[in-house]
């Protein structure tokens, strides 16, 4: 048995392969290349270093995104009551002024003062003809006076809303759609920003991309605060929109690239949780500060402190290795091992140096099959799955954000409604995290979307006076859509084959992002009928949920790697599969995340090069064979022990986190992660 181990180590030792010049040099396969995921179990998958990074940088980075994405809702508050401004009558009492100058019109079976019309009278000439003040008190409106639109601005009831862009820029009546245009402008910048910062992220590195994105966000927020007219304000919102969601995805990607595979689910759920917590905090801030200019400052100026991250935020080692910057990558990895209380394996250091020298010697690039969007639609099953994933993504993302925008319009207090709409997301994340690993992905996704849509639609059956009941149904729908929104991303990543996963997720997320430009105009319909936007979003959600039922389940299934495998995956789908949850686990599974504290992190802190190399190779081979979404109780070190005949010391193993779902993000061919338009 030991001879077998020795031969395996010699076969895998790339350094000795370089020294044997007499042998013909062959291009190593992609699987033989160094993978950072193989090293992380040795130096710590989620040790002290990663915890400081995640909880100190990644999670706080979610707050400015939520602040700057939703503070616009409260900048554009519309007062409950407003009427035409008549400069000649400003010296009169308010009620007398309205009685004399504002006609009444029927609204909800009640006569009220018009908000957009006034009597077209030459008030200067009329007042001069009256003479003394006594005659003014006896003046009555004349039914023969013409009625015209307001032309000299408006007066506003500032009891509840006393500062907003609506008041400052007179965005009412014929211009009441302008705040909706501003919201659409914010969402227009998102896909563009993801593309631009994605290029910068890949070419200049994560750190430069993040701080450039942060500077853009703060510059757009400053421009928002200083705006003196609507179009300047709307332009500033486009600049802010360029950074959403890129401003938190970049540090999120750094964290994902530095933690072990089995901890990425935890990082993703925690990111969603902190993002939601930031929105909850925003509701408190907006309640305490009602001036829209000061609100813009308060929700942006504190984040200038994030530039201090320049001194502590590391560059991604994976990106550095891709760029051939070996020494910088090794410095970060060695620091990670030191902070985690581990010893960095010397064999890995030699291996990396050998790989860089080999790449420099061989000028011929590895040939990678060129795949594109056309390959997703070339075969019937892949074409159908791509359409269904995209439709489900579009419905999910559109309705989720639409419900988030519509929260302040419901209930009796917009701040409480907005706060509750964020609170209900927290338990939904925890519940869906459990259900997607027990029931699978398809049923939790489809059920949450269908039931969430039903909760929206049945609000039309409630009377207009049932304000609280409408709010309760809305909160149920928001919780369900939040759960489905967390599922759709990993589910799509598992359905698309590895060969086209980045292209598939990118295409679906960008098409889904188009719905974010449209949804503000749907919520705008609520000005005339409060429940109409809920009904529209409910039907869209139910349609998206029903399309998800046709998708194949991925839990406990070996996931497709190539386009050919993707075509075969789910090809035998039948109608009865809609009534079936995840099947029992029947295939070899991926190892959980274990750390041997005696061998790798104990008092000796020593491990032979052969053991390290064998462990790295074993990790790679098991990951290549195993599906992404399942668990095996045999650890990498136990597998090594069983091969070599050494006894397994289970008491020395410390199991940190065991998770069945791996949430990943868009990757390039060399494994580096990319930005995706996923909020």
């Amino acid at each position: 048995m030991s001879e077998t181990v020795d031969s395996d180590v010699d076969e895998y030792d790339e350094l000795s392969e370089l020294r044997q010049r007499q042998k013909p040099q062959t291009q190593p396969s992609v699987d033989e290349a160094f993978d950072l995921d193989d090293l992380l179990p040795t130096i710590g998958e989620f040790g002290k270093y990663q915890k400081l990074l995640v909880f100190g940088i990644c999670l706080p980075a979610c707050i400015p995104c939520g602040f700057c994405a939703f503070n616009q809702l409260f900048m554009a508050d519309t007062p409950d009551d407003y009427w035409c401004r008549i400069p000649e009558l400003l010296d009169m009492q308010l009620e007398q002024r309205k009685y004399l100058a504002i006609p009444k019109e029927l609204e909800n079976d009640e006569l009220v003062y018009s908000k957009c019309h006034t009597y077209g009278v030459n008030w200067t000439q009329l007042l001069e003809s009256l003479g003394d003040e006594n005659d003014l008190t006896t003046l009555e409106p004349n039914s023969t006076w013409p009625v015209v639109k307001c032309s000299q601005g408006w007066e506003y009831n500032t009891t509840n809303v006393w500062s907003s862009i609506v008041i400052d820029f007179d965005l009412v009546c014929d211009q009441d759609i302008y705040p909706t245009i501003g919201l659409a402008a914010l969402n227009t910048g998102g896909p563009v920003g993801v593309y631009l910062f994605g290029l910068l992220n890949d070419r200049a590195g994560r750190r430069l991309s993040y701080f450039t994105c942060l500077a853009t966000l703060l510059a757009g927020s400053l421009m928002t605060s200083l705006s003196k007219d609507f179009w300047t304000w709307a332009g500033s919102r486009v600049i802010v929109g360029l950074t959403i969601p890129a401003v938190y995805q970049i540090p999120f990607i750094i964290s994902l690239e530095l933690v072990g595979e089995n901890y990425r689910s935890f990082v993703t759920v925690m990111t969603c949780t902190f993002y939601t917590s930031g929105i909850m905090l925003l509701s408190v801030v907006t309640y305490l500060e009602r001036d829209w200019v000061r609100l813009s400052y308060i929700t942006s100026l504190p984040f200038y402190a994030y530039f201090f991250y320049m001194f502590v935020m590391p560059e991604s080692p994976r990106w550095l290795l891709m760029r051939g910057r070996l020494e910088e990558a090794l410095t970060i990895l060695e620091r990670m091992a030191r902070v985690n209380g581990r010893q960095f394996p010397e064999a890995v250091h030699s291996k990396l140096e050998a790989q860089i020298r080999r790449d420099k010697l061989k000028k011929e690039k590895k040939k990678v099959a060129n795949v594109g969007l056309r390959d997703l639609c070339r075969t019937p099953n892949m074409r159908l799955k791509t359409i269904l994933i995209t439709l489900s993504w579009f419905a999910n993302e559109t309705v989720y954000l639409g419900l988030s925008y519509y929260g302040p319009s419901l209930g009796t207090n917009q701040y409480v409604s907005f706060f509750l709409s964020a609170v209900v997301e927290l338990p939904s994340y925890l519940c869906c995290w459990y259900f997607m690993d027990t029931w699978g992905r398809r049923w939790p996704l489809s059920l949450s979307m269908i039931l969430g849509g039903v909760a929206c639609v049945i609000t039309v059956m409630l009377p207009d006076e049932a304000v609280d009941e409408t709010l309760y149904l809305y909160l149920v729908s928001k919780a369900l859509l939040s759960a489905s929104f967390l599922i759709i991303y990993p589910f799509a990543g598992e359905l698309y084959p590895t060969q086209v996963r980045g292209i598939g997720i990118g295409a679906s997320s960008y098409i889904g992002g188009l719905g974010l430009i449209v949804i503000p105009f749907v919520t705008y319909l609520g000005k005339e009928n409060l429940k109409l936007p809920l009904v529209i979003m409910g039907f869209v959600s139910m349609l998206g949920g029903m399309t998800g039922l046709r998708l194949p389940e991925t839990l406990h299934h070996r996931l497709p790697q190539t386009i050919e495998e993707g075509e075969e995956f789910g090809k035998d789908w039948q109608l009865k599969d809609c009534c079936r949850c995840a099947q029992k686990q029947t295939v070899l599974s991926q190892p959980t995340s274990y750390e041997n504290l005696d061998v790798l992190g104990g008092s000796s802190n020593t491990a032979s090069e052969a053991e390290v190399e064998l462990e790295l190779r074993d990790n790679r081979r098991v990951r290549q064979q195993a599906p992404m979404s399942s668990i095996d109780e045999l650890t990498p070190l136990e597998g090594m022990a069983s091969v070599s005949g050494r006894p397994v010391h289970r008491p020395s193993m410390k199991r940190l986190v065991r998770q069945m779902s791996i949430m990943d993000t868009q990757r390039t061919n060399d494994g580096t992660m990319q930005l995706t338009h996923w909020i």
Side-chain angles (χ1 to χ4, degrees):
M1 187 67 68
S2 61
E3 292 179 0
T4 304
V5 175
D6 293 338
S7 63
D8 288 341
V9 174
D10 292 339
E11 176 188 358
Y12 186 68
D13 188 0
E14 296 178 352
L15 181 59
S16 61
E17 192 175 299
L18 284 176
R19 291 173 178 170
Q20 296 175 357
R21 301 295 184 183
Q22 68 275 15
K23 293 183 180 181
Q25 306 223 355
T26 58
Q27 180 71 25
S29 66
V30 174
D31 292 334
E32 291 175 343
F34 175 78
D35 191 343
L36 186 58
D37 289 333
D38 299 323
L39 176 62
L40 289 175
T42 305
I43 63 176
E45 289 189 289
F46 197 62
K48 183 179 179 181
Y49 184 90
Q50 287 96 332
K51 291 173 183 176
L52 290 173
L53 179 71
V54 171
F55 290 99
I57 297 179
C58 171
L59 297 182
C62 303
I63 298 177
C65 185
F67 269 38
C68 296
F70 291 100
N71 60 0
Q72 181 169 335
L73 297 177
F74 300 93
M75 292 184 194
D77 273 345
T78 301
D80 298 329
D81 191 21
Y82 48 90
W83 54 91
C84 296
R85 181 176 181 270
I86 309 297
E88 296 87 350
L89 303 181
L90 291 179
D91 293 334
M92 298 176 61
Q93 294 293 327
L94 175 60
E95 287 303 320
Q96 185 181 5
R97 183 165 69 245
K98 292 173 65 175
Y99 173 74
L100 187 60
I102 309 300
K104 289 188 176 182
E105 58 187 25
L106 196 63
E107 182 178 316
N108 296 327
D109 298 328
E110 184 181 355
L111 281 175
V112 296
Y113 286 112
S114 175
K115 295 180 178 180
C116 302
H117 296 87
T118 183
Y119 290 119
V121 177
N122 187 335
W123 294 104
T124 303
Q125 183 178 358
L126 180 61
L127 292 176
E128 290 177 351
S129 64
L130 291 176
D132 56 46
E133 185 176 349
N134 293 330
D135 292 333
L136 186 62
T137 58
T138 60
L139 183 64
E140 294 286 337
N142 192 325
S143 59
T144 62
W145 289 350
V147 176
V148 297
K149 291 183 178 181
C150 302
S151 60
Q152 301 183 77
W154 283 261
E155 293 183 75
Y156 300 89
N157 183 346
T158 56
T159 303
N160 297 319
V161 179
W162 55 270
S163 175
S164 74
I165 63 168
V166 172
I167 295 176
D168 287 3
F169 305 147
D170 283 337
L171 304 180
V172 292
C173 296
D174 292 342
Q175 295 183 327
D176 65 347
I177 199 173
Y178 277 33
T180 304
I181 295 174
L183 203 55
L186 176 77
N187 294 330
T188 301
V192 178
V194 166
Y195 176 75
L196 295 178
F197 288 111
L199 290 178
L200 186 63
N201 199 46
D202 293 335
R203 296 181 182 181
R206 305 336 190 189
R207 293 180 78 255
L208 179 60
S209 178
Y210 173 72
F211 291 113
T212 304
C213 187
L214 179 63
T216 304
L217 172 66
L218 296 177
S221 298
L222 179 62
M223 185 177 172
T224 297
S225 306
L226 300 176
S227 298
K228 299 301 182 183
D229 60 82
F230 169 76
W231 293 111
T232 304
W233 180 85
S236 71
R237 303 315 294 171
V238 174
I239 296 175
V240 171
L242 291 173
T243 66
I244 298 173
V247 71
Y248 85 89
Q249 274 199 354
I250 298 171
F252 172 61
I253 285 176
I254 295 177
S255 298
L256 285 183
E257 291 183 331
L258 287 178
V259 302
E261 289 181 322
N262 299 300
Y263 294 86
R264 290 176 187 157
S265 309
F266 173 74
V267 171
T268 302
V269 173
M270 287 302 298
T271 299
C272 293
T273 302
F274 267 69
Y275 177 81
T276 301
S277 301
I279 298 176
M280 294 165 55
L281 180 60
L282 175 65
S283 65
V284 177
V285 173
T286 53
Y287 175 78
L288 297 175
E289 180 53 69
R290 308 294 179 90
D291 184 277
W292 76 269
V293 177
R294 287 203 296 265
L295 176 64
S296 180
Y297 282 125
I298 291 173
T299 53
S300 59
L301 288 180
F303 303 121
Y304 281 91
Y306 280 30
F307 285 106
F308 287 110
Y309 282 153
M310 296 177 66
F311 303 103
V312 294
M313 178 184 285
E315 184 54 87
S316 168
R318 194 184 301 273
W319 182 84
L320 292 172
L321 290 172
M322 180 190 69
R323 292 291 177 176
R325 294 159 64 173
L326 173 65
E327 292 301 326
E328 297 176 58
L330 283 177
T331 299
I332 296 174
L333 293 174
E334 288 172 351
R335 184 187 304 121
M336 183 192 304
R338 183 171 64 254
V339 173
N340 289 341
R342 301 300 182 84
Q343 181 175 344
F344 192 83
E346 185 63 32
V348 176
H349 192 286
S350 303
K351 175 183 173 62
L352 287 175
E353 289 182 337
Q355 181 175 332
I356 295 298
R357 289 198 300 268
R358 181 188 63 220
D359 292 342
K360 288 182 178 179
L361 287 173
K362 298 186 177 183
K363 298 180 180 179
E364 225 177 89
K365 299 286 184 182
K366 289 183 284 189
K367 293 184 178 179
V368 180
N370 290 324
V371 293
L373 188 59
R374 183 179 301 177
D375 294 283
L376 293 173
C377 305
R378 183 164 43 86
T379 53
N381 189 36
M382 274 303 305
R383 179 167 58 247
L384 177 62
K385 288 192 295 185
T386 300
I387 293 174
L388 293 177
I389 292 171
T390 303
L391 286 175
S392 184
W393 196 308
F394 177 90
N396 201 302
E397 188 170 11
T398 301
V399 176
Y400 169 79
L401 198 66
L403 291 175
S404 299
Y405 286 158
Y406 207 54
S409 302
L410 301 174
T412 56
N413 188 306
Q414 62 173 345
Y415 304 99
V416 174
S417 299
F418 186 70
F419 178 81
L420 292 176
S421 71
V423 169
V424 295
E425 295 188 21
L426 298 180
S428 69
Y429 292 149
L430 300 178
C431 292
C432 85
W433 191 11
Y434 167 77
F435 284 120
M436 67 186 293
D437 287 338
T438 52
W439 291 8
R441 280 73 160 130
R442 180 184 62 202
W443 265 103
L445 173 69
S446 297
L447 275 180
S448 58
M449 292 186 69
I450 292 174
L451 294 178
V454 170
C456 282
V457 171
I458 61 177
T459 58
V460 75
M461 302 171 61
L462 299 176
D464 294 338
E465 297 77 18
V467 177
D468 292 337
E469 290 78 2
T470 303
L471 178 62
Y472 298 151
L473 288 173
Y474 160 81
L475 294 175
V476 170
S477 178
K478 180 66 184 304
L480 291 168
L481 265 296
S482 301
S484 65
F485 195 58
L486 185 64
I487 299 172
I488 185 64
Y489 189 81
F491 189 31
E494 293 168 348
L495 285 170
Y496 283 120
T498 303
Q499 193 176 8
V500 290
R501 182 166 296 139
I503 297 173
I505 290 178
S508 296
S509 63
Y510 271 87
I511 294 175
L514 298 178
L516 306 186
I517 303 175
V518 178
I519 196 62
F521 297 98
V522 175
T523 60
Y524 171 77
L525 299 176
K527 288 182 176 294
E528 299 296 332
N529 188 325
L530 185 65
K531 297 171 184 176
L532 180 58
L534 292 175
V535 173
I536 294 175
M537 290 186 285
F539 279 114
V540 172
S541 180
M542 288 191 292
L543 178 62
M546 287 186 287
T547 59
L549 289 173
R550 174 58 181 83
L551 293 169
E553 182 54 67
T554 58
L555 183 63
H556 302 324
H557 284 272
R558 197 178 298 276
L559 301 181
Q561 303 297 317
T562 64
I563 296 179
E564 291 73 19
E565 293 178 5
E567 173 63 21
E568 295 299 321
F569 186 71
K571 196 173 185 178
D572 56 349
W573 183 91
Q574 298 178 355
L575 185 61
K576 62 181 181 181
D577 292 336
C578 286
C579 304
R580 184 185 306 161
C581 292
Q583 67 175 17
K584 292 184 178 180
Q585 183 176 353
T586 58
V587 295
L588 182 64
S589 307
Q590 180 178 334
T592 53
S593 174
Y594 285 80
E595 299 188 63
N596 190 323
L597 302 183
D598 292 344
V599 176
L600 299 177
S603 57
S604 61
N605 285 332
T606 58
S608 65
E609 293 187 5
E611 287 174 336
V612 174
E613 293 289 339
L614 183 58
E615 182 186 347
L616 294 177
R617 187 198 57 173
D618 187 60
N619 286 345
R620 181 183 296 112
R621 288 182 175 177
V622 173
R623 278 208 328 275
Q624 180 183 358
Q625 296 172 359
M628 183 180 296
S629 308
S630 42
I631 294 292
D632 184 21
E633 292 298 330
L634 188 64
T635 71
L637 292 177
E638 289 174 328
M640 183 176 66
S642 64
V643 172
S644 60
R646 297 195 301 271
V648 177
H649 303 289
R650 289 194 61 86
S652 68
M653 305 292 182
K654 179 180 179 182
R655 190 164 95 183
L656 295 182
V657 171
R658 168 181 172 176
Q659 296 185 16
M660 300 170 69
S661 61
I662 302 298
M663 299 184 186
D664 214 335
T665 189
Q666 186 174 343
R667 290 172 177 259
T668 58
N669 291 321
D670 53 25
T672 54
M673 299 181 183
Q674 292 184 305
L675 296 180
T676 301
H677 190 256
W678 177 62
I679 300 179

